[in-house]
Amino acid sequence: MIKNINKMVGIMLLSSIILTSCEKNIDLKPSDSISNETAIQNLDDLDRATVGAYSNLQYQQAYYVNTIMADEARWGVDNLIRNYAGAYRWDFDSGNGDVTAAWGTMYNVVDRVNRALASAEGIAVAAPADVATKNRLRGELLAIRAMAHAELLRWFAPRYENDQLGVVIMLESSILGKPQRSTFGQVMAQVNADFAQADALIPSTFTDIFRITKPAVAALRARAALYAKDWANAITYANAAIAAKGTLATGTDYAAIWTDANTSENYFQLRRNANAGSVRTYWTDDNTDVFFSPSFKLIDTYNATTDVRYNAFIFRDGTVASSRESWKVNKYSGQSTTNRFNNIKVIRTSEMYLILAEANAELNQLVPGATSLNAIRRARITGYTDQVFASKEALIDAVMLERYKELAFEGHRFFDLRRRQLPVVRDDRDITVGAAVPKTLATTGRNYILPIPSGEKFANPEIQQNPGY
């Protein structure tokens, strides 16, 4: 949470102020912490600070919570401990950390970025190579800040419209003041400004897939434009991303993305290992207990024989007892082992094709929209025949279905429904756990909009809570 980030730093700073005001001749400095200026004195320090900002991008929980709030997942038979019950049942308030964690996580990222950017100003470099490195690191930091603010909008803006409440724009590290929420449009303007600066600073020769490169900036800008309903720029940036790295994987190459055997289609990944958390263990624990399974509604969208995504994403375990859950999410490796090496695929080429299809449809450009959608289907489905769409509405419906199938378990579905102001509707087979599991979350439902954390509201009474909380 913004007000609680680096709480100890705040306490030490306030103590210093009090002591100074009581005895002006006493010059005390905290002995158990170091200032930004001391911690970041050269390019190596700045690089480590940048890696530190990346390290706090905890996308795996966002994947999980977003999925179970939508219609992608079903309560697993083995889930006797009621993991994430409130999120799944749409029965939560502002004190539920499962649905509000992104607030504190992303603002922690923003704070780390702002500290690093402030310190970077004091790092003197002269050699051309060092100047280029400093510029690139600043570009990465600005891109991370833009991405974090855009992610906060996805989670906490009541509506994705320019005049709606957005989130707090944080451009410097501060524990003072009572910041208020800007509008969605104001936050998006800052996001775009940061991305534009990042694009200018990051060289095209920088190709580390585990950090934000120039093609990744273009891809992230396309996603932000999609949420802003800026269809023209969504097309521009998606095309730029595809031009830089636009080949769609097919067959075994596509399936291997999810076992980390290759990095096809990935603009930006977050490295994960056994000590840094796992996507896989959110679905199935080390005892092979299944918390949530793929929904039957989702399973039915795939052709098990011709669609490569079926076996890549879905696994029916025939070795378990009939009393155990046999349907498992197979998109992340290690379902039956303690292997936790699942890198987070933050943004991929296929998402760019889907953005192109949707943005073109919105502009009534049906042929290029259909071309992009058909390209994905040909890459995923053996024997696919290109489809022609007679209307904007038909193409958009097809795009939404393809996003459901292609981006399953990647943290998009709940937000996609909210972008389109569509209800969440579960299949009857996916709510058999009991009457406490509802079938439909209407667009007017209280939990269709997520709350600002109660801790943030307590620390900052000036911040406006979302409707219904």
Side-chain angles (χ1 to χ4, degrees):
M1 300 175 190
I2 301 171
K3 299 293 290 182
N4 293 329
I5 290 171
N6 299 308
K7 183 177 181 181
M8 186 57 69
V9 175
I11 292 172
M12 289 184 289
L13 285 172
L14 291 173
S15 298
S16 176
I17 292 169
I18 293 169
L19 286 168
T20 302
S21 64
C22 292
E23 181 57 70
K24 293 184 179 180
N25 295 325
I26 297 177
D27 183 17
L28 297 178
K29 296 182 180 180
S31 61
D32 57 351
S33 69
I34 57 177
S35 67
N36 293 342
E37 294 76 12
T38 302
I40 305 175
Q41 296 182 319
N42 53 50
L43 288 180
D44 285 341
D45 293 339
L46 184 60
D47 182 71
R48 282 189 286 270
T50 304
V51 171
Y54 281 116
S55 71
N56 215 47
L57 287 170
Q58 301 295 328
Y59 261 72
Q60 57 265 38
Q61 187 191 33
Y63 276 14
Y64 189 61
V65 174
N66 187 300
T67 294
I68 65 175
M69 286 194 298
D71 51 1
E72 294 177 314
R74 170 178 58 83
W75 191 286
V77 172
D78 304 332
N79 191 359
L80 302 179
I81 60 175
R82 302 298 187 260
N83 261 22
Y84 290 84
Y88 181 69
R89 290 173 171 162
W90 309 315
D91 182 20
F92 52 81
D93 57 26
S94 61
N96 187 316
D98 296 340
V99 299
T100 63
W103 181 275
T105 297
M106 289 301 164
Y107 276 117
N108 189 293
V109 170
V110 170
D111 187 72
R112 291 186 182 195
V113 166
N114 288 337
R115 289 171 183 270
L117 284 172
S119 296
E121 296 302 316
I123 298 174
V125 291
D130 290 342
V131 172
T133 298
K134 179 179 174 179
N135 285 338
R136 189 253 300 167
L137 290 170
R138 289 179 58 239
E140 288 183 70
L141 288 164
L142 287 163
I144 295 169
R145 186 170 74 183
M147 185 176 68
H149 278 107
E151 195 68 17
L152 285 159
L153 282 177
R154 291 211 299 175
W155 280 83
F156 299 105
R159 292 280 296 271
Y160 306 139
E161 304 287 348
N162 283 339
D163 61 350
Q164 293 288 305
L165 275 174
V167 293
V168 178
I169 299 172
M170 296 296 289
L171 303 182
E172 61 181 19
S173 179
S174 174
I175 62 168
L176 303 176
K178 293 180 171 59
Q180 298 183 357
R181 297 169 70 178
S182 297
T183 65
F184 180 94
Q186 289 168 334
V187 179
M188 193 58 73
Q190 182 61 51
V191 166
N192 289 329
D194 279 349
F195 274 141
Q197 278 191 275
D199 184 61
L201 291 168
I202 299 173
S204 57
T205 53
F206 183 61
T207 58
D208 187 344
I209 198 171
F210 292 101
R211 302 175 75 147
I212 297 180
T213 61
K214 203 176 203 64
V217 170
L220 290 165
R221 293 179 89 174
R223 180 189 286 174
L226 180 76
Y227 276 80
K229 301 180 179 62
D230 182 358
W231 310 121
N233 275 324
I235 291 170
T236 296
Y237 298 133
N239 274 325
I242 289 171
K245 182 181 176 131
T247 303
L248 289 166
T250 58
T252 56
D253 285 341
Y254 180 75
I257 292 172
W258 310 106
T259 61
D260 292 331
N262 68 51
T263 58
S264 297
E265 295 197 15
N266 287 296
Y267 293 104
F268 174 39
Q269 291 192 132
L270 293 171
R271 196 187 306 276
R272 290 294 180 263
N273 57 43
N275 296 318
S278 166
V279 185
R280 189 269 304 168
T281 52
Y282 275 88
W283 302 101
T284 306
D285 70 6
D286 292 337
N287 297 319
T288 70
D289 291 328
V290 179
F291 298 137
F292 288 92
S293 297
S295 69
F296 290 117
K297 179 179 179 178
L298 176 64
I299 291 170
D300 284 351
T301 65
Y302 303 108
N303 184 305
T305 303
T306 62
D307 195 325
V308 67
R309 293 171 295 195
Y310 179 83
N311 288 319
F313 298 175
I314 312 295
F315 175 53
R316 182 73 184 274
D317 189 349
T319 67
V320 301
S322 58
S323 60
R324 300 286 303 281
E325 180 58 64
S326 61
W327 289 98
K328 300 180 179 181
V329 174
N330 199 41
K331 201 166 190 174
Y332 307 102
S333 60
Q335 289 290 3
S336 300
T337 70
T338 56
N339 171 26
R340 299 185 178 191
F341 291 80
N342 305 112
N343 294 326
I344 310 294
K345 288 75 179 170
V346 176
I347 195 158
R348 301 188 291 112
T349 303
S350 59
E351 186 181 344
M352 297 300 101
Y353 279 84
L354 288 163
I355 288 172
L356 275 181
E358 184 174 349
N360 274 300
E362 284 288 352
L363 296 177
N364 283 302
Q365 298 170 168
L366 301 186
V367 173
T371 298
S372 298
L373 180 63
N374 286 326
I376 293 177
R377 290 179 170 177
R378 282 197 309 273
R380 306 292 185 249
I381 302 170
T382 302
Y384 175 74
T385 301
D386 284 359
Q387 187 175 352
V388 176
F389 297 91
S391 69
K392 164 183 172 177
E393 292 73 23
L395 179 53
I396 290 174
D397 286 346
V399 171
M400 288 296 289
L401 174 61
E402 212 60 35
R403 287 182 68 93
Y404 186 41
K405 297 166 66 176
E406 174 68 20
L407 305 177
F409 315 122
E410 292 185 61
H412 294 278
R413 177 62 172 176
F414 185 68
F415 300 141
D416 275 347
L417 293 172
R418 291 191 61 225
R419 280 195 305 111
R420 289 279 163 193
Q421 283 295 288
L422 296 171
V424 183
V425 182
R426 292 170 173 152
D427 189 280
D428 289 337
R429 295 168 296 169
D430 297 324
I431 58 173
T432 54
V433 174
V437 180
K439 177 183 175 69
T440 302
L441 176 60
T443 59
T444 56
R446 177 177 183 255
N447 293 142
Y448 192 75
I449 297 171
L450 303 183
I452 304 300
S454 57
E456 182 66 37
K457 183 67 177 172
F458 176 78
N460 177 13
E462 297 299 318
I463 200 162
Q464 189 170 343
Q465 180 58 274
N466 276 336
Y469 296 97

